[in-house]
Amino acid sequence: NAGVTQTPKFQVLKTGQSMTLQCAQDMNHEYMSWYRQDPGMGLRLIHYSVGAGITDQGEVPNGYNVSRSTTEDFPLRLLSAAPSQTSVYFCASSNRVSVGNTIYFGEGSWLTVV
Amino acid sequence: AQKVTQAQTEISVVEKEDVTLDCVYETRDTTYYLFWYKQPPSGELVFLIRRNSFDEQNEISGRYSWNFQKSTSSFNFTITASQVVDSAVYFCALYILTGGGNKLTFGTGTQLKVEL
């Protein structure tokens, strides 16, 4: 996928541990967002950002924290991991959709909380 | 609130058959965009098409075609002469202009299995 890099690709955490999923894009996109994908539920929005220093909550924000100190990076922090956070996480970035831009996704991060 | 429904959870076809994946959306916004993404077994999300609410022209790209009908709030995806490489989960998603950022509302996906 064009220019959206997620790390790590796979991670196993113990309940209560914290960690950060990294997302970086090199396309100078304004907008970035995080989704989680669970079986039978499609992708659901966790947090999103419309620019450096500006973030907001999505549909399922509880247990996650984000910040956007640069245009390129949008890390997702799990504060105290729970088994319910076992999921596949996708980062997305784009410029304004209304002027012809599409939304690109990273390759995903598979997280298991035991 | 926005909603996207992909009622077909799983579809199995034999190679070379045509297959249509259904997508029905709900929104009160008059300006919106519809997307289709493909998720192959390797897991990444691959962009297929983006269509805005003012453009009801059908689109064809090789073996892929899309039928957008505002009257029925549907944006269906047809694969002609399916191939094994088409096996994947396909997601339909809705973007509304007033939502801010690049927020998408996804359907639950349709798993397509193409067998020899």
Side-chain angles (χ1 to χ4, degrees), chain A residues 1 31-33 35 37 40-43 45 48 50 90 92-94 97-98 100-103 105 110, chain B residues 33 35 37 39 42-47 50 91 95 97 99-109:
Chain A
N1 284 300
Y31 303 147
M32 297 184 74
S33 50
Y35 295 81
Q37 181 182 9
M41 302 189 74
L43 282 78
L45 182 67
Y48 68 100
V50 297
F90 286 95
S93 80
S94 74
V97 173
S98 58
N101 296 295
T102 194
I103 301 172
F105 285 82
W110 274 252
Chain B
Y33 298 78
F35 291 76
Y37 287 88
Q39 186 176 43
S42 50
E44 73 274 22
L45 285 166
V46 179
F47 166 76
R50 166 191 176 280
F91 289 99
Y95 170 89
L97 198 60
N102 59 0
K103 298 187 292 183
L104 287 169
T105 299
F106 280 85
T108 51

mmCIF file of all heavy atoms in Angstrom, chain A residues 1 31-33 35 37 40-43 45 48 50 90 92-94 97-98 100-103 105 110, chain B residues 33 35 37 39 42-47 50 91 95 97 99-109:
data_model
loop_
_atom_site.group_PDB
_atom_site.id
_atom_site.type_symbol
_atom_site.label_atom_id
_atom_site.label_comp_id
_atom_site.label_asym_id
_atom_site.label_seq_id
_atom_site.Cartn_x
_atom_site.Cartn_y
_atom_site.Cartn_z
ATOM 1 N N ASN A 1 0.837 -1.198 0.000
ATOM 2 C CA ASN A 1 0.000 0.000 0.000
ATOM 3 C C ASN A 1 0.867 1.240 0.000
ATOM 4 O O ASN A 1 1.907 1.282 0.623
ATOM 5 C CB ASN A 1 -0.896 -0.003 1.241
ATOM 6 C CG ASN A 1 -2.033 -0.984 1.080
ATOM 7 O OD1 ASN A 1 -2.837 -0.866 0.179
ATOM 8 N ND2 ASN A 1 -2.077 -1.968 1.952
ATOM 9 N N TYR A 31 -5.072 13.920 6.807
ATOM 10 C CA TYR A 31 -5.958 13.129 7.645
ATOM 11 C C TYR A 31 -5.372 11.747 7.910
ATOM 12 O O TYR A 31 -4.878 11.082 6.991
ATOM 13 C CB TYR A 31 -7.312 12.933 6.959
ATOM 14 C CG TYR A 31 -8.036 14.204 6.589
ATOM 15 C CD1 TYR A 31 -8.831 14.259 5.456
ATOM 16 C CD2 TYR A 31 -7.930 15.343 7.384
ATOM 17 C CE1 TYR A 31 -9.499 15.413 5.117
ATOM 18 C CE2 TYR A 31 -8.590 16.503 7.051
ATOM 19 C CZ TYR A 31 -9.387 16.537 5.917
ATOM 20 O OH TYR A 31 -10.049 17.679 5.589
ATOM 21 N N MET A 32 -5.483 11.325 9.152
ATOM 22 C CA MET A 32 -5.082 9.973 9.521
ATOM 23 C C MET A 32 -6.099 9.410 10.506
ATOM 24 O O MET A 32 -6.782 10.166 11.210
ATOM 25 C CB MET A 32 -3.675 9.962 10.129
ATOM 26 C CG MET A 32 -2.595 10.438 9.150
ATOM 27 S SD MET A 32 -0.922 10.321 9.797
ATOM 28 C CE MET A 32 -0.618 8.545 9.714
ATOM 29 N N SER A 33 -6.198 8.084 10.531
ATOM 30 C CA SER A 33 -7.179 7.459 11.414
ATOM 31 C C SER A 33 -6.748 6.038 11.746
ATOM 32 O O SER A 33 -5.912 5.457 11.053
ATOM 33 C CB SER A 33 -8.568 7.477 10.776
ATOM 34 O OG SER A 33 -8.513 6.979 9.456
ATOM 35 N N TYR A 35 -8.417 2.197 12.792
ATOM 36 C CA TYR A 35 -9.566 1.309 12.828
ATOM 37 C C TYR A 35 -9.154 -0.012 13.474
ATOM 38 O O TYR A 35 -7.995 -0.412 13.418
ATOM 39 C CB TYR A 35 -10.067 0.998 11.419
ATOM 40 C CG TYR A 35 -10.621 2.177 10.669
ATOM 41 C CD1 TYR A 35 -9.783 3.081 10.020
ATOM 42 C CD2 TYR A 35 -11.991 2.397 10.598
ATOM 43 C CE1 TYR A 35 -10.289 4.158 9.327
ATOM 44 C CE2 TYR A 35 -12.516 3.481 9.900
ATOM 45 C CZ TYR A 35 -11.656 4.346 9.270
ATOM 46 O OH TYR A 35 -12.172 5.413 8.578
ATOM 47 N N GLN A 37 -10.424 -4.162 13.293
ATOM 48 C CA GLN A 37 -11.235 -5.109 12.549
ATOM 49 C C GLN A 37 -11.458 -6.357 13.384
ATOM 50 O O GLN A 37 -10.502 -7.027 13.785
ATOM 51 C CB GLN A 37 -10.563 -5.507 11.238
ATOM 52 C CG GLN A 37 -11.390 -6.484 10.414
ATOM 53 C CD GLN A 37 -10.708 -6.915 9.131
ATOM 54 O OE1 GLN A 37 -9.540 -6.631 8.892
ATOM 55 N NE2 GLN A 37 -11.446 -7.593 8.265
ATOM 56 N N GLY A 40 -16.790 -10.480 11.735
ATOM 57 C CA GLY A 40 -18.212 -10.205 11.599
ATOM 58 C C GLY A 40 -18.632 -8.774 11.861
ATOM 59 O O GLY A 40 -19.822 -8.460 11.830
ATOM 60 N N MET A 41 -17.643 -7.889 12.118
ATOM 61 C CA MET A 41 -18.010 -6.510 12.467
ATOM 62 C C MET A 41 -17.414 -5.475 11.532
ATOM 63 O O MET A 41 -17.561 -4.280 11.756
ATOM 64 C CB MET A 41 -17.596 -6.203 13.901
ATOM 65 C CG MET A 41 -18.223 -7.151 14.910
ATOM 66 S SD MET A 41 -17.968 -6.647 16.599
ATOM 67 C CE MET A 41 -19.112 -5.275 16.707
ATOM 68 N N GLY A 42 -16.725 -5.896 10.509
ATOM 69 C CA GLY A 42 -16.110 -4.915 9.631
ATOM 70 C C GLY A 42 -15.027 -4.135 10.359
ATOM 71 O O GLY A 42 -14.452 -4.600 11.352
ATOM 72 N N LEU A 43 -14.749 -2.946 9.886
ATOM 73 C CA LEU A 43 -13.769 -2.067 10.526
ATOM 74 C C LEU A 43 -14.506 -0.962 11.257
ATOM 75 O O LEU A 43 -15.452 -0.374 10.718
ATOM 76 C CB LEU A 43 -12.823 -1.448 9.487
ATOM 77 C CG LEU A 43 -11.708 -2.347 8.960
ATOM 78 C CD1 LEU A 43 -12.216 -3.322 7.920
ATOM 79 C CD2 LEU A 43 -10.585 -1.493 8.378
ATOM 80 N N LEU A 45 -14.020 2.659 13.577
ATOM 81 C CA LEU A 45 -13.104 3.767 13.794
ATOM 82 C C LEU A 45 -12.798 3.947 15.276
ATOM 83 O O LEU A 45 -13.708 4.040 16.104
ATOM 84 C CB LEU A 45 -13.726 5.051 13.232
ATOM 85 C CG LEU A 45 -12.896 6.315 13.330
ATOM 86 C CD1 LEU A 45 -11.660 6.223 12.432
ATOM 87 C CD2 LEU A 45 -13.736 7.525 12.931
ATOM 88 N N TYR A 48 -9.309 9.559 15.122
ATOM 89 C CA TYR A 48 -8.865 10.130 13.868
ATOM 90 C C TYR A 48 -8.247 11.502 14.112
ATOM 91 O O TYR A 48 -8.409 12.093 15.190
ATOM 92 C CB TYR A 48 -10.017 10.218 12.863
ATOM 93 C CG TYR A 48 -11.108 11.204 13.221
ATOM 94 C CD1 TYR A 48 -11.145 12.469 12.638
ATOM 95 C CD2 TYR A 48 -12.118 10.861 14.112
ATOM 96 C CE1 TYR A 48 -12.148 13.363 12.946
ATOM 97 C CE2 TYR A 48 -13.118 11.758 14.429
ATOM 98 C CZ TYR A 48 -13.138 13.002 13.841
ATOM 99 O OH TYR A 48 -14.138 13.887 14.164
ATOM 100 N N VAL A 50 -7.287 15.330 11.952
ATOM 101 C CA VAL A 50 -7.414 16.144 10.749
ATOM 102 C C VAL A 50 -6.188 17.024 10.528
ATOM 103 O O VAL A 50 -6.178 17.863 9.629
ATOM 104 C CB VAL A 50 -8.690 17.004 10.772
ATOM 105 C CG1 VAL A 50 -9.928 16.111 10.801
ATOM 106 C CG2 VAL A 50 -8.690 17.952 11.948
ATOM 107 N N PHE A 90 -5.813 -1.220 11.767
ATOM 108 C CA PHE A 90 -5.416 -0.592 10.515
ATOM 109 C C PHE A 90 -5.318 0.913 10.694
ATOM 110 O O PHE A 90 -6.203 1.544 11.279
ATOM 111 C CB PHE A 90 -6.432 -0.893 9.411
ATOM 112 C CG PHE A 90 -6.368 -2.287 8.896
ATOM 113 C CD1 PHE A 90 -7.215 -3.261 9.407
ATOM 114 C CD2 PHE A 90 -5.464 -2.633 7.903
ATOM 115 C CE1 PHE A 90 -7.156 -4.565 8.937
ATOM 116 C CE2 PHE A 90 -5.395 -3.930 7.427
ATOM 117 C CZ PHE A 90 -6.249 -4.900 7.948
ATOM 118 N N ALA A 92 -5.048 4.507 8.518
ATOM 119 C CA ALA A 92 -5.410 5.036 7.207
ATOM 120 C C ALA A 92 -4.962 6.478 7.093
ATOM 121 O O ALA A 92 -4.903 7.199 8.097
ATOM 122 C CB ALA A 92 -6.919 4.945 6.994
ATOM 123 N N SER A 93 -4.660 6.898 5.878
ATOM 124 C CA SER A 93 -4.324 8.300 5.669
ATOM 125 C C SER A 93 -4.846 8.767 4.323
ATOM 126 O O SER A 93 -5.048 7.981 3.394
ATOM 127 C CB SER A 93 -2.808 8.526 5.776
ATOM 128 O OG SER A 93 -2.137 8.154 4.588
ATOM 129 N N SER A 94 -5.063 10.080 4.236
ATOM 130 C CA SER A 94 -5.542 10.661 2.981
ATOM 131 C C SER A 94 -5.483 12.170 3.080
ATOM 132 O O SER A 94 -5.328 12.742 4.168
ATOM 133 C CB SER A 94 -6.981 10.230 2.689
ATOM 134 O OG SER A 94 -7.899 10.917 3.531
ATOM 135 N N VAL A 97 -11.088 13.910 0.756
ATOM 136 C CA VAL A 97 -11.780 12.999 -0.159
ATOM 137 C C VAL A 97 -12.586 13.774 -1.185
ATOM 138 O O VAL A 97 -12.715 13.372 -2.338
ATOM 139 C CB VAL A 97 -12.683 12.039 0.643
ATOM 140 C CG1 VAL A 97 -13.552 11.195 -0.280
ATOM 141 C CG2 VAL A 97 -11.843 11.147 1.540
ATOM 142 N N SER A 98 -13.107 14.932 -0.786
ATOM 143 C CA SER A 98 -14.022 15.682 -1.646
ATOM 144 C C SER A 98 -13.352 16.253 -2.888
ATOM 145 O O SER A 98 -14.029 16.704 -3.797
ATOM 146 C CB SER A 98 -14.668 16.820 -0.851
ATOM 147 O OG SER A 98 -13.675 17.662 -0.325
ATOM 148 N N GLY A 100 -11.155 14.488 -4.732
ATOM 149 C CA GLY A 100 -10.675 13.418 -5.586
ATOM 150 C C GLY A 100 -9.671 12.478 -4.974
ATOM 151 O O GLY A 100 -9.158 11.602 -5.662
ATOM 152 N N ASN A 101 -9.389 12.646 -3.693
ATOM 153 C CA ASN A 101 -8.388 11.775 -3.082
ATOM 154 C C ASN A 101 -9.010 10.505 -2.528
ATOM 155 O O ASN A 101 -10.160 10.498 -2.108
ATOM 156 C CB ASN A 101 -7.687 12.525 -1.950
ATOM 157 C CG ASN A 101 -6.910 13.709 -2.466
ATOM 158 O OD1 ASN A 101 -5.949 13.565 -3.208
ATOM 159 N ND2 ASN A 101 -7.345 14.906 -2.084
ATOM 160 N N THR A 102 -8.222 9.459 -2.511
ATOM 161 C CA THR A 102 -8.718 8.232 -1.923
ATOM 162 C C THR A 102 -8.085 8.036 -0.548
ATOM 163 O O THR A 102 -7.238 8.817 -0.121
ATOM 164 C CB THR A 102 -8.439 7.025 -2.826
ATOM 165 O OG1 THR A 102 -9.213 5.926 -2.361
ATOM 166 C CG2 THR A 102 -6.961 6.630 -2.816
ATOM 167 N N ILE A 103 -8.532 7.040 0.143
ATOM 168 C CA ILE A 103 -8.052 6.749 1.490
ATOM 169 C C ILE A 103 -7.215 5.474 1.435
ATOM 170 O O ILE A 103 -7.695 4.427 1.001
ATOM 171 C CB ILE A 103 -9.245 6.587 2.457
ATOM 172 C CG1 ILE A 103 -10.074 7.870 2.479
ATOM 173 C CG2 ILE A 103 -8.757 6.232 3.859
ATOM 174 C CD1 ILE A 103 -11.377 7.773 3.256
ATOM 175 N N PHE A 105 -4.704 2.546 3.233
ATOM 176 C CA PHE A 105 -4.539 1.830 4.488
ATOM 177 C C PHE A 105 -3.160 1.197 4.582
ATOM 178 O O PHE A 105 -2.568 0.800 3.569
ATOM 179 C CB PHE A 105 -5.602 0.727 4.617
ATOM 180 C CG PHE A 105 -6.964 1.251 4.955
ATOM 181 C CD1 PHE A 105 -7.797 1.745 3.971
ATOM 182 C CD2 PHE A 105 -7.409 1.269 6.276
ATOM 183 C CE1 PHE A 105 -9.050 2.249 4.275
ATOM 184 C CE2 PHE A 105 -8.655 1.769 6.592
ATOM 185 C CZ PHE A 105 -9.481 2.255 5.592
ATOM 186 N N TRP A 110 -1.504 -7.131 13.774
ATOM 187 C CA TRP A 110 -2.279 -8.170 14.453
ATOM 188 C C TRP A 110 -1.875 -8.197 15.919
ATOM 189 O O TRP A 110 -0.722 -8.478 16.237
ATOM 190 C CB TRP A 110 -1.989 -9.534 13.816
ATOM 191 C CG TRP A 110 -2.827 -9.851 12.623
ATOM 192 C CD1 TRP A 110 -3.840 -10.748 12.546
ATOM 193 C CD2 TRP A 110 -2.722 -9.251 11.319
ATOM 194 N NE1 TRP A 110 -4.377 -10.753 11.290
ATOM 195 C CE2 TRP A 110 -3.718 -9.855 10.502
ATOM 196 C CE3 TRP A 110 -1.897 -8.287 10.763
ATOM 197 C CZ2 TRP A 110 -3.907 -9.521 9.176
ATOM 198 C CZ3 TRP A 110 -2.083 -7.940 9.434
ATOM 199 C CH2 TRP A 110 -3.081 -8.551 8.660
ATOM 200 N N TYR B 33 -19.556 9.727 -0.405
ATOM 201 C CA TYR B 33 -18.696 8.956 -1.295
ATOM 202 C C TYR B 33 -18.755 7.498 -0.863
ATOM 203 O O TYR B 33 -18.837 7.186 0.327
ATOM 204 C CB TYR B 33 -17.247 9.470 -1.218
ATOM 205 C CG TYR B 33 -17.124 10.901 -1.653
ATOM 206 C CD1 TYR B 33 -17.486 11.937 -0.802
ATOM 207 C CD2 TYR B 33 -16.660 11.224 -2.923
ATOM 208 C CE1 TYR B 33 -17.403 13.257 -1.201
ATOM 209 C CE2 TYR B 33 -16.559 12.537 -3.328
ATOM 210 C CZ TYR B 33 -16.937 13.548 -2.463
ATOM 211 O OH TYR B 33 -16.847 14.845 -2.865
ATOM 212 N N PHE B 35 -16.955 3.652 -1.279
ATOM 213 C CA PHE B 35 -15.703 2.971 -1.583
ATOM 214 C C PHE B 35 -15.915 1.459 -1.567
ATOM 215 O O PHE B 35 -16.767 0.942 -0.851
ATOM 216 C CB PHE B 35 -14.639 3.279 -0.512
ATOM 217 C CG PHE B 35 -14.139 4.695 -0.494
ATOM 218 C CD1 PHE B 35 -14.910 5.714 0.036
ATOM 219 C CD2 PHE B 35 -12.874 4.996 -0.965
ATOM 220 C CE1 PHE B 35 -14.438 7.022 0.074
ATOM 221 C CE2 PHE B 35 -12.384 6.296 -0.931
ATOM 222 C CZ PHE B 35 -13.173 7.303 -0.411
ATOM 223 N N TYR B 37 -13.218 -1.862 -1.013
ATOM 224 C CA TYR B 37 -11.870 -2.341 -0.734
ATOM 225 C C TYR B 37 -11.860 -3.856 -0.792
ATOM 226 O O TYR B 37 -12.839 -4.518 -0.433
ATOM 227 C CB TYR B 37 -11.404 -1.899 0.666
ATOM 228 C CG TYR B 37 -11.070 -0.442 0.786
ATOM 229 C CD1 TYR B 37 -12.052 0.486 1.116
ATOM 230 C CD2 TYR B 37 -9.772 0.019 0.578
ATOM 231 C CE1 TYR B 37 -11.745 1.833 1.228
ATOM 232 C CE2 TYR B 37 -9.457 1.370 0.693
ATOM 233 C CZ TYR B 37 -10.460 2.256 1.009
ATOM 234 O OH TYR B 37 -10.155 3.598 1.119
ATOM 235 N N GLN B 39 -9.783 -7.260 0.606
ATOM 236 C CA GLN B 39 -8.840 -7.743 1.609
ATOM 237 C C GLN B 39 -8.481 -9.183 1.269
ATOM 238 O O GLN B 39 -9.202 -10.119 1.598
ATOM 239 C CB GLN B 39 -9.424 -7.662 3.021
ATOM 240 C CG GLN B 39 -8.405 -8.023 4.095
ATOM 241 C CD GLN B 39 -8.946 -7.845 5.501
ATOM 242 O OE1 GLN B 39 -10.077 -8.213 5.794
ATOM 243 N NE2 GLN B 39 -8.129 -7.264 6.378
ATOM 244 N N SER B 42 -3.772 -12.296 2.563
ATOM 245 C CA SER B 42 -2.585 -11.716 3.204
ATOM 246 C C SER B 42 -2.943 -10.590 4.170
ATOM 247 O O SER B 42 -2.123 -10.188 4.989
ATOM 248 C CB SER B 42 -1.613 -11.204 2.145
ATOM 249 O OG SER B 42 -2.291 -10.394 1.205
ATOM 250 N N GLY B 43 -4.172 -10.081 4.096
ATOM 251 C CA GLY B 43 -4.676 -9.185 5.132
ATOM 252 C C GLY B 43 -4.702 -7.707 4.845
ATOM 253 O O GLY B 43 -5.382 -6.972 5.568
ATOM 254 N N GLU B 44 -3.977 -7.228 3.862
ATOM 255 C CA GLU B 44 -3.988 -5.774 3.629
ATOM 256 C C GLU B 44 -5.289 -5.345 2.963
ATOM 257 O O GLU B 44 -6.029 -6.167 2.430
ATOM 258 C CB GLU B 44 -2.784 -5.359 2.774
ATOM 259 C CG GLU B 44 -2.861 -5.753 1.310
ATOM 260 C CD GLU B 44 -2.358 -7.151 1.030
ATOM 261 O OE1 GLU B 44 -2.322 -7.976 1.965
ATOM 262 O OE2 GLU B 44 -2.022 -7.403 -0.138
ATOM 263 N N LEU B 45 -5.571 -4.070 3.003
ATOM 264 C CA LEU B 45 -6.764 -3.511 2.368
ATOM 265 C C LEU B 45 -6.347 -2.818 1.075
ATOM 266 O O LEU B 45 -5.540 -1.886 1.092
ATOM 267 C CB LEU B 45 -7.440 -2.510 3.296
ATOM 268 C CG LEU B 45 -8.207 -3.108 4.466
ATOM 269 C CD1 LEU B 45 -8.528 -2.050 5.492
ATOM 270 C CD2 LEU B 45 -9.481 -3.789 3.994
ATOM 271 N N VAL B 46 -6.950 -3.257 -0.011
ATOM 272 C CA VAL B 46 -6.598 -2.733 -1.326
ATOM 273 C C VAL B 46 -7.760 -1.913 -1.859
ATOM 274 O O VAL B 46 -8.889 -2.412 -1.964
ATOM 275 C CB VAL B 46 -6.274 -3.881 -2.302
ATOM 276 C CG1 VAL B 46 -5.941 -3.325 -3.682
ATOM 277 C CG2 VAL B 46 -5.137 -4.743 -1.769
ATOM 278 N N PHE B 47 -7.508 -0.668 -2.187
ATOM 279 C CA PHE B 47 -8.535 0.220 -2.727
ATOM 280 C C PHE B 47 -8.951 -0.258 -4.112
ATOM 281 O O PHE B 47 -8.109 -0.558 -4.962
ATOM 282 C CB PHE B 47 -7.981 1.640 -2.795
ATOM 283 C CG PHE B 47 -8.788 2.590 -3.621
ATOM 284 C CD1 PHE B 47 -9.971 3.107 -3.125
ATOM 285 C CD2 PHE B 47 -8.372 2.961 -4.889
ATOM 286 C CE1 PHE B 47 -10.725 3.987 -3.884
ATOM 287 C CE2 PHE B 47 -9.120 3.836 -5.656
ATOM 288 C CZ PHE B 47 -10.301 4.352 -5.151
ATOM 289 N N ARG B 50 -13.759 4.481 -5.836
ATOM 290 C CA ARG B 50 -14.360 5.565 -5.080
ATOM 291 C C ARG B 50 -15.381 6.233 -5.988
ATOM 292 O O ARG B 50 -15.101 6.520 -7.149
ATOM 293 C CB ARG B 50 -13.268 6.556 -4.690
ATOM 294 C CG ARG B 50 -13.733 7.899 -4.188
ATOM 295 C CD ARG B 50 -12.516 8.831 -4.116
ATOM 296 N NE ARG B 50 -12.855 10.172 -3.745
ATOM 297 C CZ ARG B 50 -13.357 11.079 -4.571
ATOM 298 N NH1 ARG B 50 -13.584 10.789 -5.820
ATOM 299 N NH2 ARG B 50 -13.634 12.292 -4.133
ATOM 300 N N PHE B 91 -15.041 -5.219 1.142
ATOM 301 C CA PHE B 91 -15.729 -4.270 2.015
ATOM 302 C C PHE B 91 -16.254 -3.090 1.212
ATOM 303 O O PHE B 91 -15.540 -2.528 0.378
ATOM 304 C CB PHE B 91 -14.778 -3.720 3.085
ATOM 305 C CG PHE B 91 -14.396 -4.717 4.135
ATOM 306 C CD1 PHE B 91 -13.189 -5.389 4.069
ATOM 307 C CD2 PHE B 91 -15.248 -4.991 5.201
ATOM 308 C CE1 PHE B 91 -12.822 -6.298 5.036
ATOM 309 C CE2 PHE B 91 -14.894 -5.902 6.178
ATOM 310 C CZ PHE B 91 -13.683 -6.561 6.090
ATOM 311 N N TYR B 95 -18.355 7.372 3.086
ATOM 312 C CA TYR B 95 -17.747 8.587 3.621
ATOM 313 C C TYR B 95 -18.731 9.715 3.426
ATOM 314 O O TYR B 95 -19.247 9.925 2.327
ATOM 315 C CB TYR B 95 -16.441 8.875 2.879
ATOM 316 C CG TYR B 95 -15.846 10.219 3.188
ATOM 317 C CD1 TYR B 95 -14.960 10.385 4.254
ATOM 318 C CD2 TYR B 95 -16.164 11.342 2.425
ATOM 319 C CE1 TYR B 95 -14.420 11.621 4.543
ATOM 320 C CE2 TYR B 95 -15.629 12.579 2.715
ATOM 321 C CZ TYR B 95 -14.757 12.708 3.774
ATOM 322 O OH TYR B 95 -14.222 13.939 4.065
ATOM 323 N N LEU B 97 -19.401 13.916 3.732
ATOM 324 C CA LEU B 97 -18.607 15.135 3.679
ATOM 325 C C LEU B 97 -18.616 15.882 5.007
ATOM 326 O O LEU B 97 -17.614 16.498 5.387
ATOM 327 C CB LEU B 97 -19.154 16.041 2.575
ATOM 328 C CG LEU B 97 -18.239 17.145 2.078
ATOM 329 C CD1 LEU B 97 -16.964 16.552 1.512
ATOM 330 C CD2 LEU B 97 -18.956 17.963 1.022
ATOM 331 N N GLY B 99 -18.668 14.670 7.915
ATOM 332 C CA GLY B 99 -18.105 13.906 9.023
ATOM 333 C C GLY B 99 -16.759 14.401 9.510
ATOM 334 O O GLY B 99 -16.382 14.174 10.646
ATOM 335 N N GLY B 100 -16.023 15.031 8.642
ATOM 336 C CA GLY B 100 -14.693 15.495 9.030
ATOM 337 C C GLY B 100 -13.653 14.415 8.878
ATOM 338 O O GLY B 100 -13.965 13.227 8.973
ATOM 339 N N GLY B 101 -12.412 14.809 8.651
ATOM 340 C CA GLY B 101 -11.330 13.855 8.523
ATOM 341 C C GLY B 101 -11.573 12.903 7.376
ATOM 342 O O GLY B 101 -12.161 13.256 6.361
ATOM 343 N N ASN B 102 -11.091 11.667 7.545
ATOM 344 C CA ASN B 102 -11.299 10.660 6.515
ATOM 345 C C ASN B 102 -12.046 9.469 7.104
ATOM 346 O O ASN B 102 -11.732 8.319 6.819
ATOM 347 C CB ASN B 102 -9.974 10.246 5.868
ATOM 348 C CG ASN B 102 -8.968 9.688 6.870
ATOM 349 O OD1 ASN B 102 -9.248 9.594 8.061
ATOM 350 N ND2 ASN B 102 -7.807 9.301 6.377
ATOM 351 N N LYS B 103 -13.073 9.754 7.869
ATOM 352 C CA LYS B 103 -13.809 8.703 8.550
ATOM 353 C C LYS B 103 -14.690 7.910 7.598
ATOM 354 O O LYS B 103 -15.495 8.467 6.869
ATOM 355 C CB LYS B 103 -14.692 9.320 9.645
ATOM 356 C CG LYS B 103 -13.894 10.027 10.727
ATOM 357 C CD LYS B 103 -14.791 10.479 11.862
ATOM 358 C CE LYS B 103 -15.730 11.574 11.433
ATOM 359 N NZ LYS B 103 -16.557 12.061 12.562
ATOM 360 N N LEU B 104 -14.523 6.613 7.650
ATOM 361 C CA LEU B 104 -15.325 5.714 6.843
ATOM 362 C C LEU B 104 -16.218 4.861 7.735
ATOM 363 O O LEU B 104 -15.796 4.428 8.817
ATOM 364 C CB LEU B 104 -14.437 4.773 6.025
ATOM 365 C CG LEU B 104 -13.689 5.373 4.838
ATOM 366 C CD1 LEU B 104 -12.659 4.393 4.308
ATOM 367 C CD2 LEU B 104 -14.663 5.768 3.748
ATOM 368 N N THR B 105 -17.432 4.614 7.251
ATOM 369 C CA THR B 105 -18.316 3.636 7.875
ATOM 370 C C THR B 105 -18.310 2.399 6.985
ATOM 371 O O THR B 105 -18.666 2.487 5.803
ATOM 372 C CB THR B 105 -19.749 4.187 8.003
ATOM 373 O OG1 THR B 105 -19.728 5.355 8.818
ATOM 374 C CG2 THR B 105 -20.659 3.135 8.628
ATOM 375 N N PHE B 106 -17.880 1.287 7.555
ATOM 376 C CA PHE B 106 -17.723 0.058 6.783
ATOM 377 C C PHE B 106 -18.907 -0.871 6.952
ATOM 378 O O PHE B 106 -19.546 -0.916 8.013
ATOM 379 C CB PHE B 106 -16.477 -0.703 7.248
ATOM 380 C CG PHE B 106 -15.197 -0.175 6.683
ATOM 381 C CD1 PHE B 106 -14.538 0.878 7.294
ATOM 382 C CD2 PHE B 106 -14.639 -0.732 5.554
ATOM 383 C CE1 PHE B 106 -13.349 1.370 6.784
ATOM 384 C CE2 PHE B 106 -13.450 -0.256 5.027
ATOM 385 C CZ PHE B 106 -12.809 0.802 5.644
ATOM 386 N N GLY B 107 -19.171 -1.642 5.906
ATOM 387 C CA GLY B 107 -20.026 -2.804 6.051
ATOM 388 C C GLY B 107 -19.232 -3.936 6.696
ATOM 389 O O GLY B 107 -18.028 -3.804 6.950
ATOM 390 N N THR B 108 -19.913 -5.033 6.957
ATOM 391 C CA THR B 108 -19.262 -6.145 7.650
ATOM 392 C C THR B 108 -18.467 -7.045 6.710
ATOM 393 O O THR B 108 -17.823 -7.979 7.155
ATOM 394 C CB THR B 108 -20.287 -6.986 8.411
ATOM 395 O OG1 THR B 108 -21.352 -7.330 7.518
ATOM 396 C CG2 THR B 108 -20.869 -6.210 9.589
ATOM 397 N N GLY B 109 -18.528 -6.761 5.413
ATOM 398 C CA GLY B 109 -17.709 -7.490 4.458
ATOM 399 C C GLY B 109 -18.400 -8.731 3.906
ATOM 400 O O GLY B 109 -19.267 -9.330 4.538
#
